[in-house]
Amino acid sequence: MKKWVLFLLSTIGVIIIFQICYGLGVLRPSNINWLMMARHDWGTHYLGWAFYKNEPWHFPLGKVMGYNYPVGTNVGFTDSIPLLAIFFKLLAPVLSNDFQYFGIWLFSCHLLAAYFTVLLLRLFKVNAVVILVAAIFIAANPVLIHRGMHPALCAQWMLIACIYFYFLDPTLYTGKILRYQFVVLMLSALINPYLCLMVAGFTFAIPIKLCFIDKTIPKKRFLVYLVGSLVCAAFLWYITGMISFGRKEDLGVGGAYGLYTMNLNSLYNAGGWSTLTHSYDWVSWHQYEGFMYLGAGILLLVLLLIIYSIFVFIDRRRKTEKYPAKKGIGKKSLIPLLALVLLYAIFSITLVISFNSKVILRLPAPAIFIHLEEVFRACGRFFWMPYYLIILFTIIAISKSRIPPLITTSLMIVALGIQLYDIKLLLTYRHLPSGTYTPPMDNKNWIDVMRSFDEIIFFPAFQPPNIRPMDYQDFSYLALKAGKPVNLAYVARGDSRAARQFSDSLNRMVENDSLSPKALYITNAANLEHFALALQSGSARLNMLDSCYFIYATASSNKTLNDLSARLNAPDKTAMDSLMRKIQIKREFFESPQIPPSKEKSIRYWIESLNFGKNVLSMNGWAFIDTTQNNKGDSIFITLTNREKSYWIQTRQVQRPDLAAAFSRTYLGDAGYNFIAFTDSLKPGVYQLGMVIKNAQGRMVYNPTLSRDESAPVNYIKK
């Protein structure tokens, strides 16, 4: 069968698969409803692209300022596929407002996976029917379908392309092999860092094979190609902003090592997506990143191949005559590929080896290995290359066996039928809507209010009011439609130093009655007290819409805005008046007898933010008695003490379920705290900040707070 016929039939198969999985409606560029209604990663992928499209060009080229404002982000860190984002931004003037390319991208990924499968199997001279079956196996494989949640990571066709380049005849295609591999590496650098690192493995393995095994390129060319490829990939990352050579945040995430690993049961664990096989436990939900289910059809073929191989091995040992040698790929030429498989397998499993719900072995790992795992923390993904090799070479091995072709072909077709039936839940679970997106909010009024300001600021910084799950996407979408920057986002990596600086600055601005007249502030009832000084002084106006509150400086108001706000407040006038009366009540420190400090540091604490404002003090963080295993029912107080008097205030409890695991305690959920209080009643002077924890049995422990380097006490100066 001619190659173009195989491509045509494979394309038809991919179209059918794609219609079943997503629906061809997602290919329509103006259809964004399926992205925003997902309430998951798709929404932030679209928002990252949409804000990027509407902004002027920056350097680096992938920089986005209006999303995650004012820190900004990179279109790559929203997984919006920089390759396409940059290309389509060039065409932004002629694109529709709701233009999206994610549907076309997903379809292309399935199509190219089938395309390179056809090329690879033709290279091994597999019969046409088996090639078509293999193309469907690959285009509908569980990992690719499951990973549809992250379109950028669906470019797994690049791994199949690299495998194809690896097996091309080096005597005929040496120059082309290196050029093809270079192109795929450059594309991967503009798509996703994880895939780029996987492709980079072949950028080492292929020239090593050509230079040291096939001996078709000299060592000098090997070094020039290798260094040149890596430098070019790093350069693309630099100009797009994926890396920076300045003083930036460490991309590693502490504590991520061994978390997102691949479980040893992953190849046969369907995770609830199979109609024929059982599901097995993971150590934790994080191991979904190592989802590698082969499917019942492929598992059947693997089992048959193992049985056949055992039979051949026994038969060879039993017979005196040798089987005739087959022409094929030399064993030495497989060494770089097998080394790469082993490397990726180790990296995906890590040295924290788990099986079902148990960690069965922890091996010591060098610091550089742990750090790399923390940078690429979703390490379970790195088994994708071995995964595809298992599928592809199981099919190739069976089709090239001594079993009659009619039987092997029939077996492949039956296995494909079993495979598709087995994963039908995975293939059909998405029911994606189409059309434009309308957030479940008062869209027109929100957009009208937002258009009156230069920036949309949520308080606390980068946190939505949580009126519904993942409402940051809805508010970001409304800000997008209003053409305003917004300090909301979900990004893969962020500059936490800059975010902390902005958050602290925002806290001081809000609590010290210094609201910007250019900003619209949005918050919820739990955080209104931070605006108390501004609302009490009359320098800010409180308004309500969609169960949350928007506040703006009266200096920025105009008649149109005030009339709109009054109309929006009218249905809730009674509740608003009651709320304002509560805000007028100042929460203050109360005088109390002094408690002598403990001789030893008996309170373990962390101050996440601290603001000493004009007649106001706010603070949040966590604290617990260091000797406790369970702080259930403990109360946390903040004290201000001088030589004469001590003033206390009880903090509000914030649940911190993360601390128990971090400090190996039974329960520390009551360790979180926050408070804001006025200091009008305090006399001018210098007060030392301290903490008191009263446990459930009534025992009190007091410690003065120290600076982060513990070199000096933290003092509050009341003027």
Side-chain angles (χ1 to χ4, degrees):
M1 190 179 294
K2 293 184 178 180
K3 185 165 66 173
W4 70 267
V5 177
L6 288 172
F7 289 151
L8 176 61
L9 294 176
S10 297
T11 301
I12 294 171
V14 170
I15 291 172
I16 294 170
I17 291 166
F18 196 81
Q19 169 63 21
I20 293 171
C21 290
Y22 300 98
L24 296 177
V26 304
L27 299 176
R28 187 156 44 86
S30 60
N31 177 12
I32 65 168
N33 203 19
W34 65 281
L35 292 165
M36 293 299 300
M37 285 293 288
R39 296 287 172 190
H40 210 280
D41 299 85
W42 285 347
T44 205
H45 301 337
Y46 171 73
L47 289 167
W49 147 248
F51 275 94
Y52 178 67
K53 174 173 71 77
N54 292 342
E55 290 187 7
W57 288 96
H58 304 284
F59 186 85
L61 297 179
K63 190 175 184 179
V64 184
M65 289 305 301
Y67 194 50
N68 202 44
Y69 174 85
V71 176
T73 185
N74 185 283
V75 74
F77 293 155
T78 60
D79 273 343
S80 303
I81 314 170
L83 175 69
L84 298 187
I86 293 171
F87 173 77
F88 283 111
K89 185 176 173 67
L90 295 169
L91 306 177
V94 299
L95 299 178
S96 65
N97 290 333
D98 290 342
F99 179 85
Q100 61 86 17
Y101 47 73
F102 297 96
I104 297 170
W105 171 257
L106 282 169
F107 178 78
S108 300
C109 289
H110 287 263
L111 187 63
L112 287 169
Y115 173 83
F116 280 104
T117 299
V118 170
L119 290 179
L120 178 64
L121 268 68
R122 277 176 57 87
L123 198 63
F124 283 86
K125 296 181 172 54
V126 176
N127 78 68
V129 176
V130 173
I131 290 176
L132 289 174
V133 168
I136 302 302
F137 264 121
I138 292 297
N141 79 81
V143 164
L144 181 57
I145 301 296
H146 183 261
R147 192 46 64 174
M149 68 182 96
H150 298 134
L153 291 170
C154 288
Q156 295 162 23
W157 58 268
M158 291 189 292
L159 303 179
I160 305 172
C162 291
I163 296 169
Y164 168 66
F165 303 151
Y166 188 93
F167 286 103
L168 281 173
D169 188 341
T171 60
L172 300 176
Y173 299 103
T174 296
K176 289 184 177 180
I177 291 171
L178 294 177
R179 287 196 297 272
Y180 293 160
Q181 182 60 31
F182 177 81
V183 170
V184 171
L185 180 66
M186 296 304 104
L187 291 175
S188 69
L190 293 172
I191 293 171
N192 183 271
Y194 280 89
L195 285 169
C196 184
L197 192 59
M198 295 179 205
V199 171
F202 282 94
T203 301
F204 279 86
I206 289 175
I208 287 174
K209 172 178 175 287
L210 294 176
C211 179
F212 297 101
I213 297 175
D214 299 324
K215 301 188 183 303
T216 56
I217 61 171
K219 293 179 181 178
K220 183 178 180 180
R221 186 179 178 187
F222 162 75
L223 290 173
V224 170
Y225 176 81
L226 192 59
V227 173
S229 297
L230 297 179
V231 168
C232 288
F235 177 72
L236 285 180
W237 276 1
Y238 173 70
I239 64 171
T240 56
M242 298 296 287
I243 59 172
S244 171
F245 299 110
R247 182 178 178 271
K248 297 291 286 183
E249 181 74 4
D250 188 348
L251 294 178
V253 178
Y257 175 68
L259 193 60
Y260 294 90
T261 61
M262 190 184 92
N263 197 292
L264 292 182
N265 67 22
S266 292
L267 291 175
Y268 59 85
N269 184 3
W273 294 112
S274 171
T275 57
L276 296 176
T277 65
H278 294 291
S279 294
Y280 300 87
D281 291 334
W282 291 326
V283 170
S284 74
W285 65 268
H286 302 88
Q287 290 190 319
Y288 83 92
E289 289 288 4
F291 177 82
M292 297 289 160
Y293 182 55
L294 289 168
I298 292 295
L299 286 171
L300 174 63
L301 293 178
V302 170
L303 178 62
L304 292 175
L305 180 60
I306 292 172
I307 294 172
Y308 172 77
S309 300
I310 293 172
F311 170 78
V312 169
F313 176 78
I314 294 173
D315 194 49
R316 282 180 173 177
R317 295 293 298 270
R318 183 172 56 85
K319 291 183 177 179
T320 54
E321 69 273 14
K322 299 289 185 181
Y323 278 72
K326 283 187 178 182
K327 291 183 179 180
I329 298 166
K331 291 181 180 179
K332 285 186 178 181
S333 66
L334 293 177
I335 292 175
L337 181 62
L338 294 176
L340 196 59
V341 168
L342 180 62
L343 180 65
Y344 284 154
I346 292 172
F347 197 76
S348 62
I349 297 170
T350 73
L351 300 178
V352 182
I353 302 170
S354 60
F355 181 67
N356 293 341
S357 61
K358 303 291 184 182
V359 174
I360 59 176
L361 185 62
R362 290 180 182 270
L363 298 174
I368 189 172
F369 182 84
I370 293 174
H371 181 68
L372 188 60
E373 287 265 1
E374 289 178 341
V375 173
F376 292 92
R377 61 185 182 271
C379 55
R381 300 171 182 173
F382 283 88
F383 201 80
W384 288 348
M385 190 272 281
Y387 175 87
Y388 280 105
L389 283 172
I390 290 171
I391 295 176
L392 290 166
F393 283 92
T394 294
I395 294 172
I396 291 171
I398 291 177
S399 66
K400 302 297 288 183
S401 69
R402 300 180 186 280
I403 301 172
L406 180 61
I407 295 176
T408 57
T409 302
S410 301
L411 184 62
M412 295 290 179
I413 295 172
V414 171
L416 178 61
I418 293 172
Q419 179 90 346
L420 296 177
Y421 176 78
D422 177 47
I423 62 170
K424 66 178 181 179
L425 295 175
L426 188 58
L427 293 170
T428 61
Y429 82 96
R430 296 185 178 101
H431 302 283
L432 303 180
S434 61
T436 57
Y437 176 65
T438 303
M441 301 161 67
D442 190 341
N443 296 267
K444 182 181 183 305
N445 285 321
W446 272 118
I447 292 173
D448 287 344
V449 170
M450 289 178 175
R451 281 176 175 161
S452 300
F453 300 90
D454 293 342
E455 54 189 20
I456 312 303
I457 304 297
F458 284 80
F459 185 90
F462 312 108
Q463 296 182 32
N466 291 320
I467 58 176
R468 66 179 57 84
M470 301 191 76
D471 59 349
Y472 83 91
Q473 292 189 6
D474 292 329
F475 282 108
S476 297
Y477 181 80
L478 293 173
L480 172 71
K481 290 302 178 183
K484 306 298 178 182
V486 62
N487 69 330
L488 292 177
Y490 175 75
V491 296
R493 295 289 190 279
D495 187 340
S496 64
R497 293 188 184 95
R500 171 55 60 195
Q501 290 172 358
F502 172 72
S503 181
D504 291 344
S505 173
L506 178 62
N507 287 352
R508 291 191 295 270
M509 183 181 295
V510 167
E511 293 167 0
N512 297 344
D513 188 12
S514 302
L515 301 188
S516 168
K518 297 181 179 180
L520 175 69
Y521 299 88
I522 301 175
T523 191
N524 55 22
N527 291 290
L528 270 180
E529 63 178 354
H530 295 273
F531 293 85
L533 196 59
L535 294 172
Q536 289 169 7
S537 69
S539 65
R541 175 166 178 163
L542 176 66
N543 310 278
M544 187 174 183
L545 181 60
D546 279 331
S547 302
C548 57
Y549 300 93
F550 66 92
I551 301 162
Y552 54 84
T554 52
S556 64
S557 62
N558 56 63
K559 187 177 186 305
T560 301
L561 178 61
N562 287 340
D563 289 346
L564 174 59
S565 299
R567 179 168 57 82
L568 296 176
N569 293 337
D572 301 294
K573 186 177 185 307
T574 302
M576 292 285 290
D577 290 343
S578 175
L579 186 60
M580 282 301 297
R581 285 192 294 270
K582 290 180 180 178
I583 290 174
Q584 296 299 326
I585 301 173
K586 293 184 176 181
R587 191 161 181 256
E588 298 185 89
F589 283 83
F590 63 89
E591 188 175 344
S592 175
Q594 293 188 0
I595 295 181
S598 305
K599 293 182 179 179
E600 298 179 357
K601 182 183 176 183
S602 53
I603 296 178
R604 183 172 291 196
Y605 63 89
W606 183 255
I607 299 173
E608 293 177 346
S609 71
L610 175 63
N611 175 37
F612 292 148
K614 181 181 178 181
N615 293 332
V616 68
L617 190 154
S618 71
M619 185 172 164
N620 72 75
W622 52 261
F624 60 90
I625 299 173
D626 202 16
T627 56
T628 189
Q629 284 292 323
N630 188 330
N631 76 338
K632 186 71 174 177
D634 288 7
S635 301
I636 302 173
F637 298 82
I638 301 299
T639 66
L640 292 174
T641 305
N642 61 15
R643 293 180 180 178
E644 300 174 356
K645 294 183 179 180
S646 181
Y647 297 87
W648 292 32
I649 191 165
Q650 185 172 356
T651 65
R652 288 188 173 90
Q653 179 182 304
V654 178
Q655 284 295 306
R656 291 297 300 264
D658 56 312
L659 295 177
F663 291 98
S664 301
R665 308 295 171 89
T666 305
Y667 177 85
L668 292 177
D670 291 354
Y673 68 86
N674 68 44
F675 81 94
I676 179 171
F678 291 90
T679 59
D680 303 59
S681 60
L682 274 66
K683 293 180 179 181
V686 178
Y687 295 84
Q688 184 173 5
L689 191 70
M691 287 186 179
V692 172
I693 296 182
K694 180 181 179 181
N695 67 14
Q697 291 74 40
R699 177 190 171 220
M700 288 190 178
V701 177
Y702 166 72
N703 272 157
T705 58
L706 301 175
S707 59
R708 290 189 174 179
D709 61 2
E710 300 189 354
S711 62
V714 177
N715 291 328
Y716 169 64
I717 301 174
K718 174 66 187 297
K719 296 181 180 180

